[in-house]
Amino acid sequence: SSQCIDVGSDLVPPLPTTTSAANQIPLWQFVLAGGMGGAMSRTLTAPLEFVKLQAQTTTNSYRGMMQEFQSCLRQNGIRGLYAGNGVNCLRIFPNAGIGCLAYGQILKCLPSSSDNNNSSDFFWRLLAGSAAGSLATMITYPLDTIRARLTVQDVANHNSYKGIIDAFHRIWAEEGIRHGFYKGIQPTLFAVAPFVAIQQATYDGLKKELLQNYQYKPSVPLFMTCGAMAGMAAQSVVYPLDLLRRRIQVTSAQGVFVDTYLWLAAQKVLRKHGPKGLFQGIFPTLIKVMPAVAISVTVRDAVLGRLG
């Protein structure tokens, strides 16, 4: 089976199987398939990503999806809805490729399970997905930081970043590597590892069940449905961590101080908004994640020849 992952903003590796057929597929094809699906998915869902980030990072009351759309269109036009999408695509291509490659290689090093031992198979996929997602995130995290800041900034502000290169130079000069590019890496890894693990194992489990036990034929609607359901399940579990890491990641760009330690950031959110604050923006996030993962899965499996 093949897999594609989305971490709210983050990972889309396809999931190669451990069968001989999968081993015959060149490694570069997995990288290419992951990058193509990720870039297409992110571009088609960029307006939803904008609303999701606004909901996660605002320090005021969240106004709702339609209000955020209308406000962005009034202030920045259509361009505002796609702010940061270029760097997002540049980030997701290597992220997806690294995640895919790492996942396939890690699976080869783990004990194989029989087709009848579904619980063991699920566990190894959880472990491999967690490790692959963490590795890909650590390598491409600086691009994710730049993308997040470009997305949430007010482009009409004279002090806003002029683009990817300008953001890179300014973050490097003003904040450095650790406190600039890798700000929020700890909560990000805490969110990415379980997200990728849950989504990869869930997607494979759903597809295997439907194809083998219910005799469904490989198809675009089937893969999209499995991917959307897996993305929804994983995002619902890790959403509070995803929200906190975004708050930490973009605060320097907004000029607002938030503690870089996860538990301190959580305390501030809880004091101001209560427990519901940890789930602020989950609805637009799910609305974005489900089609994003569905698109990525379908493109990935099509490039890998999984649609039959």
Side-chain angles (χ1 to χ4, degrees), residues 148-195:
R149 295 195 182 187
L150 289 174
T151 300
V152 302
Q153 73 174 352
D154 181 1
V155 296
N157 190 318
H158 71 281
N159 197 40
S160 63
Y161 299 120
K162 307 307 180 192
I164 298 173
I165 302 300
D166 180 53
F168 177 85
H169 284 304
R170 286 176 56 183
I171 294 173
W172 178 284
E174 298 170 9
E175 303 172 53
I177 296 176
R178 178 180 176 185
H179 297 291
F181 291 118
Y182 281 91
K183 186 177 184 180
I185 185 65
Q186 179 187 22
T188 297
L189 290 176
F190 284 154
V192 165
F195 185 97

Side-chain angles (χ1 to χ4, degrees), residues 25 48 208 225-226 233 240 284 296 298:
I25 300 176
L48 293 173
K208 181 179 179 181
T225 300
C226 291
S296 298
T298 304

